[in-house]
Amino acid sequence: MSVQNAIQTLSQRLLILLWIILLFTPLSITFIWFYGTLVDSAGGVSLEFSYDVSLPLTVGKSLMGYPFALLPSLVYMAIIWQLICLFRLYQLGDVFTQANVSCFRRIANLMIATPVISVLSNMMLGAVLSIGQESFNIGFTIDDSDLTILLIGLTVRAISHVMTLAKDIKEENELTV
């Protein structure tokens, strides 16, 4: 089996896995959010907030908070979508192309933006869940995973520059007789 065939086979398998993850993510986040906010927390799903929230929530508050709870997952889903696009290109045998470089850049930018979006989402969620309460709760946390994804995003951004050089060298070699 050639290296190209191995890449194509691996890409095909990864595409199946990535599609499953992409489709399962919104379903699981939706279930966890509504079950965790509307049903007693002793039921097996425990949601954590960076501010005081008394659970269970009302249906209205749960519905208002849902978009802000979902927002970070939408960013992860966008990253998964870019990985699907990248592995489709690999499956077609396109390795050092501008389309691949673009996928790497979009993945890097999404990863770099993830901690900021997570903080903003958490703050907006706190504001929405504070409606009708005595105190206004806006809190956020930055944890190891946020810093890790930021660092990985910066690394992927550097890799996108390396991929640009590789693409340019490939194109130059194709023009050389």
Side-chain angles (χ1 to χ4, degrees):
M1 178 183 269
S2 72
V3 173
Q4 185 67 29
N5 286 342
I7 291 171
Q8 289 172 331
T9 302
L10 178 61
S11 296
Q12 188 173 20
R13 291 178 182 157
L14 285 172
L15 279 169
I16 293 168
L17 178 63
L18 289 169
W19 273 109
I20 290 169
I21 293 169
L22 185 67
L23 296 173
F24 184 69
T25 298
L27 296 173
S28 62
I29 295 299
T30 301
F31 171 78
I32 290 169
W33 174 256
F34 286 109
Y35 187 80
T37 59
L38 296 174
V39 179
D40 192 321
S41 60
V45 174
S46 177
L47 298 178
E48 292 183 18
F49 299 91
S50 51
Y51 35 80
D52 289 331
V53 175
S54 71
L55 295 174
L57 298 176
T58 64
V59 173
K61 275 196 179 181
S62 184
L63 286 171
M64 286 190 312
Y66 175 69
F68 303 111
L70 184 64
L71 189 59
S73 296
L74 293 175
V75 177
Y76 287 114
M77 289 172 61
I79 293 170
I80 293 167
W81 176 253
Q82 287 305 310
L83 287 170
I84 287 171
C85 293
L86 182 67
F87 284 108
R88 276 187 189 155
L89 292 168
Y90 289 165
Q91 187 180 22
L92 296 173
D94 297 335
V95 178
F96 298 110
T97 64
Q98 183 57 45
N100 288 48
V101 171
S102 296
C103 285
F104 273 103
R105 282 193 182 135
R106 285 190 288 266
I107 290 168
N109 292 340
L110 287 164
M111 292 177 89
I112 292 167
T114 296
V116 174
I117 291 170
S118 180
V119 165
L120 291 175
S121 171
N122 208 355
M123 290 173 67
M124 290 183 290
L125 182 61
V128 166
L129 296 181
S130 295
I131 294 173
Q133 291 186 349
E134 293 176 14
S135 62
F136 196 68
N137 294 321
I138 294 183
F140 66 90
T141 58
I142 296 176
D143 56 21
D144 295 356
S145 61
D146 292 326
L147 297 176
T148 301
I149 199 159
L150 176 65
L151 180 61
I152 293 171
L154 293 170
T155 303
V156 172
R157 185 70 180 183
I159 291 170
S160 76
H161 293 296
V162 172
M163 290 295 290
T164 300
L165 291 173
K167 174 196 70 80
D168 292 345
I169 291 169
K170 178 188 174 254
E171 289 173 355
E172 190 177 300
N173 285 342
E174 287 174 350
L175 296 174
T176 304
V177 178

